[in-house]
Amino acid sequence: MIVAERKPFEEIKESIKDYRKVLVLGCGTCVSVCMAGGEKEVGLLATELRMNAGLEKRDIEIMEATIQRQCDKEYIEPILEQARGCEAILSLGCGAGVQLVAEMLETMPVLPGLNTRFIGITEAEGAWSERCRACGDCVLATFGGICPVARCSKGLINGPCGGNQGGKCEAGGDKDCAWELIYHRLKKQGRLANLRKTAQLRNYATNAHPARQVNEAYQTPEKAGVKS
Amino acid sequence: MSQAKKLMAEVGLEQERLEMFNLGASDAPLFAAACKEMTERARKLGPNPLKEEEASVK
Amino acid sequence: MTTDTYEPKLVAFCCHYCAYSAADLAGSMRLEYPANVRIVKLMCTGRVDTLHLLRAFEDGADAAFVAG
Ligand code: SF4
Ligand code: SF4
């Protein structure tokens, strides 16, 4: 899932200060699971904003809505009318969600309420960590299901750097050395030979931005350029 | 609980207005004490500024 | 609302099985406690959500507490 965290309250407050009717728009998928932008967080933030405005005697109307996903037009369409009745949208979706909502509303400011961090997993209740950098040329098969691109601080893909300190990365921050994890995993799997092979050249072209993907089988005939 | 207190601070409301008490089914005196304690705190802090705002509007 | 007539309003979130019984008992024991407490009875205080607490204040409670 995409992991995000809420921006500081002061920053959010500042970003909407010129508007008097704001829709706080949540997203029911990734950011709900990482407790940053789901229905509950929308309720909390909207309540906070209303209370703060009340304390500072500012006149502002805060509305709330949460849709299944902000990265699919179909889910945004039903709230367009409500959105157009406001002066600005405060989106609690990830960066992709904010952009699609903004694209569909065009003339209206759509402001981000979250900082989008990474693609990751739930480690434990309330803790998430990065697992994938969407590199477009996955090497997990070779490295025992542990991604050196995302989990090695230096993104080394041909072995450890030599700075491993008792299993921890020399870059600090109490991070596990990805290459030590890879070694132990492959050992358990009896596949240490993978590490003795000469590393394959990586195709960094797959990592070019902005990335786009098309599956013709699912495209409508007009879009695919097929004449019926 | 701690999250609510943190949010209150963010908003600008006194955290002392909120508290948690642990008590059992037979702790009637403790319950009465909790009510008294919170009433005292609310007296000291004065009315909730948000309510005043509403009262003056009406 | 003026300060001389200020009588704080409290919201108590109580667990049905402990704090609510305690409140009930306080009543039958004729213990005196402030009359300005509004009790919200829950099956369990685990149900209390940050949002409930904030909403209590948004709606004008002067203080709130969770008992259970
Ligand atoms: S190798 Fe690339 S695609 Fe595979 S997990 Fe790592 S970053 Fe993601
Ligand atoms: S110590 Fe390990 S994780 Fe850190 S940079 Fe070196 S190889 Fe990567």
Side-chain angles (χ1 to χ4, degrees):
Chain A
M1 99 192 94
I2 310 249
V3 180
E5 65 184 357
R6 211 194 73 189
K7 280 180 176 289
F9 186 69
E10 285 304 315
E11 185 182 340
I12 293 178
K13 201 177 123 187
E14 176 69 19
S15 73
I16 61 163
K17 72 171 192 308
D18 294 331
Y19 309 107
R20 273 174 311 140
K21 192 171 179 190
V22 177
L23 172 66
V24 182
L25 184 62
C27 177
T29 307
C30 306
V31 291
S32 274
V33 182
C34 64
M35 293 161 194
E39 194 172 2
K40 178 179 168 188
E41 291 72 31
V42 166
L44 286 174
L45 179 60
T47 305
E48 271 192 272
L49 288 168
R50 278 192 290 263
M51 287 170 78
N52 183 262
L55 286 175
E56 294 174 1
K57 314 250 177 275
R58 273 182 296 115
D59 196 18
I60 185 166
E61 194 182 334
I62 305 280
M63 323 236 292
E64 304 173 23
T66 301
I67 56 179
Q68 184 64 41
R69 277 203 290 281
Q70 292 188 17
C71 50
D72 267 315
K73 288 188 180 136
E74 287 76 6
Y75 292 111
I76 302 176
E77 265 151 15
I79 54 99
L80 282 179
E81 202 174 320
Q82 184 188 13
R84 290 204 180 96
C86 299
E87 290 177 22
I89 311 295
L90 181 63
S91 162
L92 295 192
C94 74
V98 175
Q99 293 187 49
L100 188 56
V101 175
E103 194 176 314
M104 292 184 72
L105 284 165
E106 261 201 312
T107 53
M108 191 182 293
V110 178
L111 312 156
L114 303 183
N115 286 325
T116 305
R117 307 279 319 277
F118 49 78
I119 303 178
I121 54 114
T122 309
E123 244 177 34
E125 215 173 312
W128 297 270
S129 58
E130 185 171 17
R131 286 292 188 274
C132 173
R133 296 198 71 97
C135 74
D137 184 19
C138 195
V139 294
L140 287 176
T142 318
F143 299 127
I146 294 168
C147 171
V149 182
R151 296 173 69 180
C152 166
S153 302
K154 301 174 190 172
L156 301 177
I157 47 114
N158 52 1
C161 67
N164 179 329
Q165 304 189 343
K168 295 291 176 188
C169 173
E170 69 169 348
D174 198 39
K175 285 177 234 145
D176 290 327
C177 169
W179 281 100
E180 180 157 336
L181 296 178
I182 290 171
Y183 174 83
H184 289 301
R185 175 72 57 78
L186 287 175
K187 195 171 174 188
K188 270 189 210 150
Q189 297 182 348
R191 299 204 294 157
L192 274 178
N194 280 6
L195 296 178
R196 284 190 203 97
K197 276 188 243 153
T198 313
Q200 291 298 302
L201 282 180
R202 269 176 72 74
N203 178 11
Y204 284 102
T206 58
N207 211 356
H209 292 290
R212 188 164 176 266
Q213 165 171 318
V214 167
N215 186 338
E216 273 142 23
Y218 289 97
Q219 285 193 303
T220 52
E222 327 86 70
K223 278 200 187 135
V226 181
K227 284 191 192 93
S228 52
Chain B
M1 194 70 195
S2 57
Q3 191 196 9
K5 286 204 170 211
K6 199 188 108 210
L7 297 182
M8 285 173 77
E10 264 181 10
V11 168
L13 209 59
E14 301 89 346
Q15 297 181 21
E16 295 77 28
R17 291 184 191 274
L18 182 62
E19 206 47 80
M20 166 95 207
F21 297 94
N22 281 314
L23 37 95
S26 53
D27 289 336
L30 280 183
F31 181 81
C35 293
K36 275 185 200 141
E37 155 83 14
M38 292 312 284
T39 309
E40 273 324 300
R41 282 200 206 177
R43 276 229 174 78
K44 228 176 271 163
L45 291 165
N48 177 349
L50 285 163
K51 180 171 60 182
E52 243 187 344
E53 157 84 356
E54 262 168 36
S56 63
V57 171
K58 272 169 205 160
Chain C
M1 180 168 286
T2 58
T3 350
D4 356 312
T5 62
Y6 169 51
E7 198 41 59
K9 277 212 185 78
L10 272 69
V11 181
F13 293 91
C14 293
C15 160
H16 174 74
Y17 297 97
C18 30
Y20 190 78
S21 315
D24 213 22
L25 189 61
S28 14
M29 282 167 73
R30 307 275 179 272
L31 281 175
E32 254 182 61
Y33 68 89
N36 41 23
V37 183
R38 299 285 172 274
I39 295 181
V40 179
K41 187 169 86 171
L42 306 154
M43 288 320 278
C44 169
T45 39
R47 179 67 189 90
V48 179
D49 189 278
T50 321
L51 193 52
H52 299 144
L53 302 172
L54 281 196
R55 288 264 153 93
F57 289 110
E58 189 189 357
D59 293 342
D62 296 304
F65 64 96
V66 181

